Amino acid sequence: MILAAVLLFGVVVIGWFSPRLLGRLTAGGISPGTALAWWLLTALGVLGGTLGAVLLLVLPDHGPATAITRVLHDCWAAVGHSDIPALDPVAGTFAGAALVIAAARLAVASARRRKRSTRLHRRHLDALRLSGARSGPTLWLPDDRPIAYSLGGRDGLIVASEGLAARLSHRELNAVLAHEQAHLRGRHHLLTASADVLGRTLRFVPLMRELPGAIRLLVELAADRAAATRHGPETVRSALLSIHSADGPRRALGMAGADTEIRLRVLASHTAGPSRFPAWAKAVAGGTVALLAPPAFTVGLLFATGLVSC
């Protein structure tokens, strides 16, 4: 049981204190795609660590836990399984029940959100098709307001208005469309939806509570970066400044969406030059560390405790 308890302790530490560290790393100038991977894999690591700890509690003889802790048994008698056997069935039952409840809440919240989102998505698309004219992946609305947003899903669609085309230059308009295309290519709508479900269901964990806001900002930064790479950061900045409000449904990702001031500041410092380490390498390395943080913390804590005890 001690291994499961330490693993749960690692999950609590990562779940409660990682948002501050992730926020600092994100503000340090890493690419938005890398930051997205780190945030999402940290959340996945916390979920996986929790599941692993509960399985260690409920499996007969705690699964592989006995073999792992046997190495430290001679040095640290407190790790012995026989010291506190009476707590095992109680802890296992409680942990199993908590896991089932949490999984049920996640499933119900996800199903409800998907059903509601699909219904609203279809209604919105039907209304748009009746009032607009489609050109490739973009549906143009006869509206004088500068509207630009994208709708994810199987029938991903970019929605733009004639007022947007009239207000922006040709390069700015292409940059806006490139921004929305980046949302569709990166499946940003799916990422934000998943983060929203986790945030609503597991709000008592600080990492999950802050995940939706972080992911929504990072997908906008990632789309800005993709557009800036193709059309230049100044073009994206001027287009963003020309669109003052986000007009679109709640689930859409609009060009004038989250945290405009932050996005303008990041675009001002945008550099397209080669990096010392490729973005994919940073994402893989950091993502692996984030995913394995709870078990790594557990192993480190057990090892350090064993050294001190010996």
Side-chain angles (χ1 to χ4, degrees):
M1 189 180 75
I2 193 66
L3 184 63
V6 177
L7 182 54
L8 281 176
F9 179 69
V11 166
V12 169
V13 170
I14 301 301
W16 260 254
F17 296 102
S18 61
R20 181 177 300 179
L21 177 60
L22 289 169
R24 289 179 179 177
L25 292 174
T26 302
I30 63 173
S31 70
T34 300
L36 271 172
W38 292 3
W39 274 90
L40 291 171
L41 288 174
T42 301
L44 186 60
V46 168
L47 292 175
T50 304
L51 177 61
V54 173
L55 288 178
L56 288 177
L57 286 172
V58 300
L59 286 176
D61 297 325
H62 303 319
T66 304
I68 296 173
T69 55
R70 191 175 299 155
V71 177
L72 296 175
H73 183 273
D74 293 335
C75 293
W76 185 22
V79 177
H81 175 75
S82 59
D83 289 345
I84 45 176
L87 291 179
D88 289 357
V90 176
T93 302
F94 178 79
L99 180 63
V100 170
I101 292 173
R105 288 189 61 187
L106 274 173
V108 171
S110 180
R112 286 179 177 175
R113 190 189 189 286
R114 181 175 179 82
K115 182 178 180 180
R116 182 171 60 251
S117 179
T118 300
R119 183 173 63 251
L120 294 176
H121 182 79
R122 288 176 178 172
R123 290 178 180 176
H124 189 70
L125 280 180
D126 291 341
L128 289 174
R129 287 171 179 145
L130 290 174
S131 59
R134 186 159 185 171
S135 175
T138 306
L139 185 68
W140 293 95
L141 300 179
D143 197 309
D144 293 334
R145 295 173 297 171
I147 299 173
Y149 59 89
S150 57
L151 294 170
R154 185 182 305 174
D155 301 321
L157 183 68
I158 298 172
V159 179
S161 66
E162 295 176 358
L164 178 76
R167 175 174 296 195
L168 302 181
S169 67
H170 183 68
R171 288 192 62 185
E172 290 172 339
L173 180 60
N174 287 336
V176 171
L177 297 180
H179 174 101
E180 300 304 336
Q181 288 168 359
H183 281 318
L184 296 178
R185 286 197 307 270
R187 298 185 179 274
H188 292 168
H189 304 80
L190 177 61
L191 297 182
T192 55
S194 301
D196 285 343
V197 171
L198 289 174
R200 288 177 180 272
T201 308
L202 305 173
R203 285 190 59 82
F204 58 92
V205 181
L207 173 63
M208 302 304 179
R209 186 167 59 244
E210 296 187 26
L211 188 66
I215 297 303
R216 185 164 285 273
L217 171 60
L218 288 170
V219 298
E220 294 299 337
L221 293 177
D224 286 343
R225 188 182 184 91
T229 300
R230 293 180 58 184
H231 302 283
E234 287 304 320
T235 304
V236 180
R237 278 175 54 85
S238 61
L240 188 56
L241 288 169
S242 298
I243 308 176
H244 300 293
S245 61
D247 292 300
R250 183 181 176 186
R251 305 299 181 189
L253 294 177
M255 177 65 180
D259 298 306
T260 301
E261 292 184 3
I262 297 177
R263 293 167 59 191
L264 290 172
R265 186 165 63 249
V266 172
L267 283 168
S269 60
H270 174 83
T271 56
S275 175
R276 182 178 179 182
F277 298 102
W280 66 265
K282 295 179 182 178
V284 170
T288 301
V289 172
L291 182 63
L292 299 179
F297 182 88
T298 301
V299 171
L301 185 58
L302 284 174
F303 182 74
T305 306
L307 289 178
V308 172
S309 300
C310 291

